[in-house]
Amino acid sequence: MTTSSPTKRHITVTTWNIAAINNNPFEYWITMEKNPAYEKLMIDIESFIDSPGEKDLPVHEIFTDRMFDRLETRMKMVGWDSVRTYWESDFRNRRIISGFLKDKMLGNKRLASMPDRITNTINIEGSDGYAAIACRPTVINMYEGDLSSLDLWYEEWEKFMFTTELKIKTTSGVKVNTPYKMLTDIKNSKYPAITEDEEKVSIPLQTMCGAIFDAILVHMMNTLSTPSVWQPMKKIMIESLQKKKVPNTLKILENTYASSDIIALQEVSSAFINMAAEGALGMTHHVIYPEKIDSARDQNSVLLLKKSTFPNGSSSEITSLVESAFEEGAKVPVSQGDILAITADDADGVPYVIASFHGDTNGLATIPVLDALMKVVRSDNENSLSLSGHKLIFGLDANTYESGKSGKMQDVLEFGKKYVSHDLTSCWGDVPNPKQYTTYNARTFLQPQLNKACKSTQKKLNGDVNPKDFILFNSKDFGLEEVW
């Protein structure tokens, strides 16, 4: 972009949702050109779940009566009510695919997805005092133990859930906890599909369903592949997609975007922030993160300001002003760390408001956040901070869609009309092209939300292929030269 001032200086802006580390290496379709076994395995899993045929075995042949007996003993030892009647009259004889993985009512009750969400990957304090993770023994996380048989899996699963003590950081310090204690009731008031009787035993019931879920996944992998093939493959994926994600992402920024004057990032982990500040980017850019950082989800919006362009970095953070400017009574789906808004002066003394924002999955927070930001920019605030003369640069993952649904998914053209109403334009112009896609991903069948799974032949048709990422600015302040 070029400023409209007489000096006509150029400014380069980058925005990128780098995405928090995904705990499940199999969740999204990827390309593994050097390992054709990956594509074959994922297509086999798709076929297995889509049309299991005679492989749709009864649950008790996978998660056995002996396993249930051991689990029931454990649950009684911690004082939980028995769910044997549910096991014997219902779950034991369900079919593993049609009666369990693909049961929509089970999904609506969250009996398998809730325990997975809570115990899949737990942030802990490591033995060296630094952040670490503890993984439940399952296929769909970064667990690297041996899952070559159901017996090996169950031994480790039971131990993890009921005897492993984890050091977990809380707002009041480090506390020792065991995974089973972290499970919470599934309330009928929030999830109407669950009955009142099921709610009363929802903790042991979801523990049993979680165990069945994990057992089915282990069985499926060892049926469609062999442990000597899929387990080493998983370790390679973990190394590339999880363990090396931060350094690989930093390498892209350092090699391709380090010349940018402003870099707006979304879904940034604290590990990334620390490595960026201490590495090559920290030498050339101020690394700015929210004062109220999100330590729970570990997903934060961040700004990198080139030191030669903004010598003093951030002048002030105004995130709280933006959050307090939402319409009274409005329920805006934003979480701590989603918004970062600051002021900064460039080397010529020109004042800026610079913001980075990560919208919710459906994009319903995007317009309210934009409205609130513009309200702050155009008004004198209680603390006498006048921003009306500042130039605005706003990089965001708007989570807009090519074809939105009113009140459910934010339509990209509607968003375009909104920013134009604020006298702004975007890197895509006043009227964004709905087919100017900035994201392209598709879920596999090896993740808990099968309703979102895409067949190998329908990745574009049913995947998340949408125009989501924007840089907003006032056309009176800047002229657009090039977008890439």
Side-chain angles (χ1 to χ4, degrees), residues 17 19 22 27-30 267 361 397 399 401 437-444 452-455 458-466 468-469:
N17 181 341
N22 188 352
E27 182 162 358
Y28 292 96
W29 287 97
I30 64 171
E267 288 198 75
T361 302
D397 172 5
N399 264 322
Y401 291 83
Y437 306 130
T438 64
T439 188
Y440 193 143
N441 62 65
R443 282 185 168 92
T444 71
K452 295 183 179 181
C454 294
K455 292 186 176 181
Q458 299 177 339
K459 296 173 191 173
K460 183 175 180 181
L461 179 65
N462 294 325
D464 185 2
V465 184
N466 285 290
K468 293 192 170 188
D469 300 275

Side-chain angles (χ1 to χ4, degrees), residues 335-355:
S335 300
Q336 189 167 292
D338 284 343
I339 306 171
L340 173 61
I342 65 167
T343 62
D345 294 341
D346 72 10
D348 298 322
V350 177
Y352 285 72
V353 168
I354 307 171

Side-chain angles (χ1 to χ4, degrees), residues 365-379:
T366 298
I367 285 178
V369 168
L370 175 60
D371 288 342
L373 178 62
M374 296 310 298
K375 183 178 178 181
V376 170
V377 168
R378 289 178 172 157
S379 64

Side-chain angles (χ1 to χ4, degrees), residues 10-282:
H10 290 76
I11 187 167
T12 304
V13 182
T14 298
T15 188
W16 185 15
N17 181 341
I18 63 174
I21 290 176
N22 188 352
N23 297 320
N24 178 7
F26 293 107
E27 182 162 358
Y28 292 96
W29 287 97
I30 64 171
T31 301
M32 290 186 75
E33 294 177 348
K34 295 181 180 179
N35 196 337
Y38 167 79
E39 188 83 6
K40 180 181 185 304
L41 173 61
M42 301 315 292
I43 292 174
D44 286 347
I45 290 169
E46 172 190 322
S47 300
F48 184 86
I49 292 176
D50 200 35
S51 303
E54 62 184 15
K55 294 178 181 177
D56 199 6
L57 302 172
V59 164
H60 69 83
E61 290 190 23
I62 309 304
F63 186 76
T64 64
D65 288 316
R66 183 184 66 84
M67 290 176 183
F68 175 79
D69 290 342
R70 286 185 55 175
L71 179 59
E72 183 183 46
T73 298
R74 281 286 190 183
M75 294 194 294
K76 285 182 177 179
M77 287 172 65
V78 299
W80 291 352
D81 291 332
S82 173
V83 289
R84 178 169 287 276
T85 54
Y86 289 93
W87 167 251
E88 293 181 343
S89 66
D90 184 359
F91 288 95
R92 181 184 184 277
N93 297 310
R94 288 187 180 213
R95 297 285 167 171
I96 59 173
I97 304 300
S98 58
F100 196 91
L101 291 187
K102 293 171 75 172
D103 180 17
K104 291 183 179 179
M105 183 59 72
L106 190 67
N108 291 338
K109 293 179 179 183
R110 303 297 196 272
L111 286 172
S113 62
M114 186 68 75
D116 177 65
R117 188 174 77 181
I118 294 171
T119 65
N120 181 290
T121 303
I122 303 170
N123 293 315
I124 62 171
E125 182 182 78
S127 56
D128 56 3
Y130 288 95
I133 59 171
C135 296
R136 188 182 77 248
T138 186
V139 171
I140 55 170
N141 63 11
M142 290 188 274
Y143 180 74
E144 295 187 78
D146 188 359
L147 297 178
S148 59
S149 74
L150 284 166
D151 286 337
L152 284 172
W153 159 76
Y154 185 74
E155 287 292 335
E156 295 304 313
W157 188 93
E158 182 184 303
K159 187 190 304 179
F160 175 84
M161 289 297 294
F162 291 96
T163 65
T164 301
E165 293 188 334
L166 305 173
K167 292 182 178 179
I168 300 174
K169 285 186 176 181
T170 69
T171 53
S172 56
V174 176
K175 294 185 176 180
V176 176
N177 210 348
T178 308
Y180 79 88
K181 295 178 181 177
M182 302 173 69
L183 299 175
T184 58
D185 292 321
I186 301 176
K187 300 286 188 181
N188 168 265
S189 57
K190 188 171 184 179
Y191 303 103
I194 202 157
T195 68
E196 292 183 2
D197 286 339
E198 289 169 338
E199 179 183 327
K200 293 174 183 175
V201 292
S202 60
I203 290 180
L205 191 57
Q206 66 181 283
T207 303
M208 178 187 73
C209 289
I212 295 171
F213 174 71
D214 284 340
I216 293 172
L217 297 185
V218 171
H219 163 76
M220 182 167 62
M221 296 299 275
N222 291 329
T223 298
L224 301 177
S225 180
T226 61
S228 62
V229 172
W230 77 263
Q231 292 197 129
M233 180 197 302
K234 180 183 177 183
K235 288 183 178 180
I236 292 171
M237 294 168 70
I238 289 172
E239 190 71 18
S240 300
L241 300 175
Q242 276 87 6
K243 290 184 177 180
K244 289 185 178 178
K245 173 163 183 169
V246 169
N248 286 344
T249 304
L250 282 169
K251 198 174 294 182
I252 293 171
L253 288 169
E254 292 164 3
N255 294 340
T256 308
Y257 300 104
S259 61
S260 296
D261 300 287
I262 299 170
I263 302 175
L265 301 175
Q266 299 87 37
E267 288 198 75
V268 181
S269 68
S270 50
F272 181 98
I273 293 170
N274 293 334
M275 289 184 69
E278 295 170 3
L281 275 176

Side-chain angles (χ1 to χ4, degrees), residues 393-411:
I393 299 287
F394 187 13
L396 67 158
D397 172 5
N399 264 322
T400 45
Y401 291 83
E402 178 181 1
S403 301
K405 298 177 183 177
S406 182
K408 293 183 178 180
M409 296 168 63
Q410 181 58 59
D411 185 88

